[in-house]
Amino acid sequence: MNKEALKSIAEKYLNGTASEKEIKMMQAWMLLTEQEDASLTDQERLSAKERIWLMIDPDAQDSAETTAKPMFRRISKRMMRYAAAVLLLTGLGSVAWIYRFPILDMVDPIALKSMQSGPYEIKECWLPDSTHVTLAAGSSISYPEKYRGARRFATLRGKAFFNVARDVAHPFEVESHHMKIKVLGTSFEVDDADGREHALVTVVTGKVQVNATRQQPALLGRNQQLKFNKKSGSIAIDDTIDAGSVTGWTTKSLSFNETPLAEVLKAVAVAYQLDIQPGQQVVKSSATFSGNFSRSEYWKDVLDIICMSSDLSWSVNRSNTIVIKK
Amino acid sequence: MRNAGLSDIELLDLIKQHDASAFRVLFERYWEQLYLFALKRLKSKQDAEDAVQHVFMSIWDKRSVRNIHFSLQHYLYKSVSYECIAALKRMLDRPSDIEAVDENILPLFSDVLENMSLQELNQLIETEISRLPHRMQQIYRLSREQDLSVREIAVSLNVSEQTVKNQLTTALHRLRKPVTDAMLLLLANELMIR
């Protein structure tokens, strides 16, 4: 038997379509492994217990300031009956009832939504549980259009700041390229952009559990940052981070970091819906700009700052086109 | 700790009333055996922790709709078993875990279980059950009896499924005391579906 075959048996067992022999194989696996040795040191016991409890503690004190009303409980009665009918037909019994959500996901899958930010654009979005996400430039996130069952999750490519709606019964999980982050209700930043040496998680409020590839899970609190070295696979935790300054970019809407000036002007034109004409010889190809602009900044101020920093100026001509000059 | 002397059923009653400290007592009582159970099967601490979290989450989460009148221990083992299989599937999906599955879990399936006939598997299961500590034996046997679905009962009694359902519902209304745990579970199941 290969891995695919085993996976298919597990799947069939979970959705109630396994044959008698397949069910028996799973039962035999459960029984034969009972004799295996699984002793823990006191330290291992304590830390495992702490990690498990953290995720299920109904009284967890550390929470994000924003508390949103969960929306995922609104499953229609009709849907429940449908699930019940499916369960009855498959003859799964009561435990299957407990796992009606995974089964529902199979018979009635929830569509995934995704959101992408432009190369210099910072975007905001709200997940179906009212979790607020600020997506850094050049990143994307995908998430189900509604949450059902015990888990809330999202998949991130790049960098984002999360303000997770508190709901202790439904931990929130973010998966990035190198890490899996699990929280109850907190705010934190995940930076797992490609082409960087490290993947980072920075916590602003609350507690966060991070599982970096091939590493023991780590618990982070306020103003702590986990640094995962993608090459060596090692992790380091910094306790002296000013999380507020790390996540300062989230109040901005445009973000440039040594970006070629021509690109900067294009992004500003798109963001403010302007017609900008950089003169041919005026904008040097070697010129770059670094800086962030917030949503509320006036376009004239933005142009002033960019032009001044490159020793240029701008004016509006008769056809309402902005011309960049020496 | 407050509530520490209460029985499982008493704790469950409090949990249904959103009593977080009763939930903690229940967690203290069972987390370790469930964790070791999952660890023996999955050989991965992370996945074993996840499995236990999901079991307890389902108790807290469904506190208002679930009626665990029957043995709580049986319920816990049944759901941790299910979580182990769900975790196995997740591990097979994650490229980073494939090697560990290859080494720790797959050989038993490919070298032993796959090559056995249904009859041999049944014998193996019987032998393995008898090697378990008495308490766990009970749990396993109970679990098997309960796995009879309405349809299976109908087939074995040669009546329609609707008849079985009707009889179960009538029986539940008439009975004050449950005959057996297994019977009650079936009945409770019927009620929840309604």
Side-chain angles (χ1 to χ4, degrees):
Chain A
M1 187 188 314
N2 59 21
K3 277 160 278 195
E4 280 308 307
L6 181 56
K7 195 176 126 191
S8 139
I9 296 179
E11 264 163 13
K12 281 195 264 176
Y13 187 95
L14 296 172
N15 66 28
T17 55
S19 71
E20 197 184 348
K21 185 177 171 191
E22 288 164 340
I23 293 172
K24 292 278 149 76
M25 281 167 75
M26 283 296 171
Q27 284 179 354
W29 172 49
M30 293 287 163
L31 285 162
L32 286 166
T33 41
E34 181 56 31
Q35 313 299 335
E36 305 258 334
D37 176 47
S39 53
L40 297 172
T41 66
D42 282 354
Q43 188 48 46
E44 286 171 329
R45 251 183 95 251
L46 272 178
S47 58
K49 185 177 173 187
E50 189 194 358
R51 280 193 299 267
I52 297 170
W53 179 250
L54 176 82
M55 287 300 142
I56 58 173
D57 181 3
D59 276 341
Q61 290 303 309
D62 274 324
S63 68
E65 278 152 40
T66 45
T67 307
K69 224 180 171 175
M71 288 155 72
F72 44 81
R73 280 193 182 277
R74 293 185 206 141
I75 297 167
S76 70
K77 272 209 166 135
R78 232 182 71 202
M79 189 67 99
M80 293 283 228
R81 283 210 197 101
Y82 179 43
V86 169
L87 292 181
L88 250 185
L89 285 172
T90 51
L92 262 175
S94 70
V95 171
W97 174 254
I98 301 161
Y99 295 101
R100 63 196 182 278
F101 294 118
I103 292 165
L104 259 180
D105 285 341
M106 233 161 290
V107 296
D108 176 33
I110 296 176
L112 279 184
K113 280 177 117 178
S114 68
M115 169 113 158
Q116 197 165 4
S117 58
Y120 309 109
E121 174 195 34
I122 294 167
K123 256 187 166 172
E124 288 181 283
C125 75
W126 278 267
L127 304 187
D129 62 340
S130 302
T131 286
H132 181 229
V133 180
T134 316
L135 207 54
S139 303
S140 69
I141 186 167
S142 69
Y143 52 94
E145 66 181 7
K146 62 183 175 183
Y147 287 119
R148 178 162 68 195
R151 288 170 222 190
R152 297 183 285 165
F153 61 92
T155 310
L156 173 73
R157 291 269 163 276
K159 172 172 163 179
F161 180 76
F162 292 86
N163 197 345
V164 177
R166 184 166 169 73
D167 178 8
V168 290
H170 302 82
F172 184 89
E173 296 180 9
V174 181
E175 227 177 300
S176 72
H177 194 90
H178 298 89
M179 301 179 296
K180 197 167 130 191
I181 298 104
K182 203 159 161 186
V183 303
L184 296 174
T186 59
S187 54
F188 61 97
E189 179 191 292
V190 181
D191 184 357
D192 196 351
D194 290 338
R196 305 257 181 81
E197 194 183 351
H198 294 101
L200 304 165
V201 178
T202 313
V203 178
V204 179
T205 59
K207 282 224 171 96
V208 168
Q209 179 182 317
V210 184
N211 297 306
T213 312
R214 287 189 296 277
Q215 285 289 334
Q216 289 284 312
L219 281 184
L220 297 183
R222 203 185 165 85
N223 286 331
Q224 285 191 317
Q225 184 180 68
L226 179 139
K227 220 175 185 180
F228 173 74
N229 187 313
K230 296 178 188 171
K231 227 184 212 160
S232 69
S234 64
I235 55 173
I237 294 175
D238 187 342
D239 298 324
T240 55
I241 284 289
D242 176 11
S245 70
V246 173
T247 58
W249 62 271
T250 54
T251 57
K252 310 294 182 189
S253 62
L254 281 172
S255 169
F256 304 105
N257 189 9
E258 295 188 25
T259 310
L261 200 53
E263 296 269 310
V264 173
L265 292 170
K266 258 188 231 165
V268 171
V270 171
Y272 290 97
Q273 303 194 342
L274 304 170
D275 183 10
I276 302 181
Q277 289 293 328
Q280 284 293 319
Q281 306 299 321
V282 178
V283 177
K284 289 189 203 119
S285 59
S286 61
T288 63
F289 177 80
S290 299
N292 299 317
F293 297 106
S294 71
R295 278 172 258 285
S296 56
E297 257 158 314
Y298 190 39
W299 64 269
K300 287 185 173 174
D301 295 337
V302 172
L303 276 179
D304 279 345
I305 292 168
I306 294 172
C307 286
M308 269 192 311
S309 75
S310 315
D311 238 355
L312 299 168
S313 66
W314 62 275
S315 66
V316 182
N317 73 10
R318 255 173 291 166
S319 55
N320 267 337
T321 299
I322 292 163
V323 183
I324 308 289
K325 299 177 293 195
K326 271 251 159 59
Chain B
M1 195 181 286
R2 194 160 63 87
N3 297 332
L6 297 182
S7 73
D8 289 353
I9 302 290
E10 287 165 325
L11 287 174
L12 281 173
D13 279 341
L14 287 173
I15 289 168
K16 277 174 205 156
Q17 296 156 36
H18 301 212
D19 187 326
S21 75
F23 184 61
R24 174 81 205 198
V25 174
L26 200 73
F27 174 78
E28 295 280 346
R29 200 172 282 178
Y30 288 113
W31 83 271
E32 195 175 356
Q33 18 176 317
L34 297 176
Y35 179 63
L36 290 174
F37 183 95
L39 193 57
K40 283 178 192 172
R41 273 89 202 160
L42 301 173
K43 313 279 193 317
S44 148
K45 284 184 185 150
Q46 178 53 42
D47 290 285
E49 283 171 22
D50 276 357
V52 177
Q53 274 165 13
H54 291 145
V55 171
F56 279 101
M57 255 152 50
S58 91
I59 291 185
W60 182 256
D61 189 26
K62 318 256 160 42
R63 61 194 181 275
S64 50
V65 289
R66 273 206 61 77
N67 282 308
I68 310 178
H69 287 298
F70 51 94
S71 155
L72 176 74
Q73 282 205 42
H74 165 254
Y75 169 83
L76 291 173
Y77 277 100
K78 189 108 195 189
S79 44
V80 81
S81 306
Y82 183 97
E83 288 298 347
C84 284
I85 293 169
L88 174 64
K89 185 190 157 269
R90 282 198 300 275
M91 290 163 85
L92 286 161
D93 275 333
R94 274 199 305 257
S96 55
D97 290 337
I98 283 290
E99 272 175 46
V101 177
D102 244 348
E103 208 171 296
N104 299 324
I105 300 178
L106 196 63
L108 178 64
F109 281 96
S110 54
D111 302 345
V112 184
L113 298 176
E114 190 188 20
N115 306 320
M116 295 176 82
S117 70
L118 186 58
Q119 200 191 349
E120 286 167 329
L121 274 170
N122 278 331
Q123 270 169 12
L124 174 76
I125 290 171
E126 212 40 60
T127 322
E128 287 302 318
I129 290 181
S130 62
R131 286 174 65 191
L132 294 174
H134 183 66
R135 247 198 124 73
M136 284 195 76
Q137 277 192 38
Q138 278 184 320
I139 289 167
Y140 266 100
R141 296 198 193 279
L142 183 59
S143 141
R144 267 194 322 179
E145 284 153 40
Q146 274 170 188
D147 278 341
L148 280 181
S149 67
V150 168
R151 185 200 282 182
E152 285 163 338
I153 294 174
V155 170
S156 66
L157 295 177
N158 200 17
V159 290
S160 81
E161 284 180 43
Q162 195 52 50
T163 312
V164 176
K165 277 187 250 167
N166 291 347
Q167 282 175 353
L168 288 171
T169 321
T170 325
L172 184 65
H173 286 309
R174 225 182 303 145
L175 285 173
R176 287 288 140 97
K177 267 187 171 178
V179 192
T180 64
D181 284 354
M183 184 69 175
L184 192 73
L185 175 67
L186 262 177
L187 300 176
N189 187 27
E190 277 303 296
L191 268 200
M192 279 190 286
I193 287 172
R194 222 142 276 267

